[in-house]
Amino acid sequence: MSVADDKTVVREYFNSTGFDRWRRIYGDGEVNKVQLDIRNGHQQTIDRVLNWLKADDNLSGLSICDAGCGVGSLSIPLAEAGAIVTASDISEKMVSEARERATATLGDRASNVKFSTQDLEALEGRYHTVICLDVLIHYPDDKMADMIAHLASLAESRLILSFAPKTFALTILKKIGEFFPGPSKTTRAYQHREADIVKIFENNGFSIARQEMTSTRFYFSRLLEAVRR
Ligand code: SAM
């Protein structure tokens, strides 16, 4: 399947059943046990990124691109902390939910974040930090290098990515059924080898600075911070 077809499927999913499912997972209402586990795991990833950035003590005014922002789970707390956030997602439904959440929670800090509907590979501009969380699961290995190279070209200093590591194959395959119901469910979520990602970072002039791993029963996400050499 071509990249364009892959993206059309992802966009349609996150504008329909995927939107309903992920808006609930990334919310605080009632969900089933599996969804609650994924919610808690994802929140750990968000908190880890926030802890890193807050520990650097330079968040106020820092320019950040949140590529594939979903419903704003990271963009909103970053804007709250004073960062200047450019957030985008391929799904207009996710973006409009993110905008609503930002307006409802940020008060006069709402102007710190701008949301738009965009394919991350079409993004332009330069940002101190580019962040892309839990999006690589939609990219097969052969599309990953171009995608990361593009994000790297937008990042002046730092790139933070998370992905589902290949080591947890079996558990992830079970979880994939939850992501993409239907006949193609096992072909639509991709895990990646960390060594491949580190190599792509290196080829683009970045090296790993910090790393974390979040594992719950149904959520596995390896988090890497790479800084420009
Ligand atoms: N990063 C967010 C977070 O951690 O809360 C959302 C993660 S969610 C599992 C994956 C998101 O990636 C979805 O909102 C989806 O629409 C978006 N996405 C997938 N492919 C994309 C692409 N090529 N460009 C922009 N967004 C994309």
Side-chain angles (χ1 to χ4, degrees):
M1 182 169 293
S2 73
V3 205
D5 290 343
D6 261 332
K7 281 187 183 164
T8 303
V9 171
V10 169
R11 184 189 296 109
E12 283 171 1
Y13 172 72
F14 280 103
N15 273 327
S16 55
T17 50
F19 170 68
D20 292 329
R21 174 180 169 78
W22 288 98
R23 176 183 48 171
R24 267 186 284 118
I25 291 176
Y26 295 156
D28 52 16
E30 206 165 297
V31 285
N32 69 36
K33 277 192 184 144
V34 173
Q35 292 171 333
L36 183 61
D37 178 89
I38 297 172
R39 175 190 286 171
N40 291 338
H42 173 258
Q43 190 58 45
Q44 286 181 43
T45 297
I46 298 289
D47 289 344
R48 290 188 153 126
V49 175
L50 290 172
N51 288 342
W52 281 351
L53 270 56
K54 286 180 179 170
D56 292 344
D57 206 18
N58 64 350
L59 252 189
S60 183
L62 200 77
S63 66
I64 298 181
C65 168
D66 184 8
C69 64
V71 297
S73 309
L74 178 69
S75 292
I76 293 170
L78 286 176
E80 173 112 63
I84 304 303
V85 186
T86 303
S88 55
D89 197 281
I90 202 166
S91 155
E92 58 188 87
K93 294 264 262 192
M94 296 297 261
V95 168
S96 70
E97 174 77 13
R99 235 183 235 125
E100 276 174 32
R101 290 187 185 193
T103 309
T105 55
L106 283 175
D108 59 5
R109 298 226 150 178
S111 60
N112 284 355
V113 55
K114 299 269 181 290
F115 292 101
S116 66
T117 305
Q118 277 193 81
D119 174 0
L120 59 84
E121 285 174 280
L123 292 176
E124 293 176 350
R126 295 281 282 173
Y127 308 88
H128 176 279
T129 299
V130 174
I131 307 180
C132 185
L133 295 186
D134 293 359
V135 178
L136 272 177
I137 194 148
H138 305 298
Y139 279 78
D141 279 335
D142 61 332
K143 306 289 182 282
M144 200 171 64
D146 284 348
M147 184 271 216
I148 296 176
H150 181 66
L151 293 180
S153 77
L154 309 174
E156 278 161 4
S157 298
R158 173 167 61 187
L159 186 51
I160 296 175
L161 286 185
S162 71
F163 59 96
K166 222 155 214 167
T167 38
F168 297 98
L170 219 71
T171 323
I172 286 288
L173 283 175
K174 282 187 193 152
K175 173 180 148 193
I176 287 164
E178 302 281 331
F179 279 11
F180 294 105
S184 63
K185 62 187 176 187
T186 53
T187 61
R188 294 289 173 204
Y190 303 97
Q191 297 164 262
H192 300 289
R193 255 183 294 274
E194 182 165 340
D196 296 344
I197 294 189
V198 171
K199 194 159 198 175
I200 297 169
F201 279 141
E202 282 169 0
N203 291 342
N204 286 281
F206 285 74
S207 38
I208 304 299
R210 287 179 279 197
Q211 46 200 289
E212 293 271 11
M213 177 70 215
T214 303
S215 323
T216 65
R217 281 188 68 195
F218 299 99
Y219 175 93
F220 300 93
S221 188
R222 178 72 164 150
L223 181 64
L224 299 178
E225 175 194 57
V227 293
R228 201 174 269 288
R229 285 196 295 269

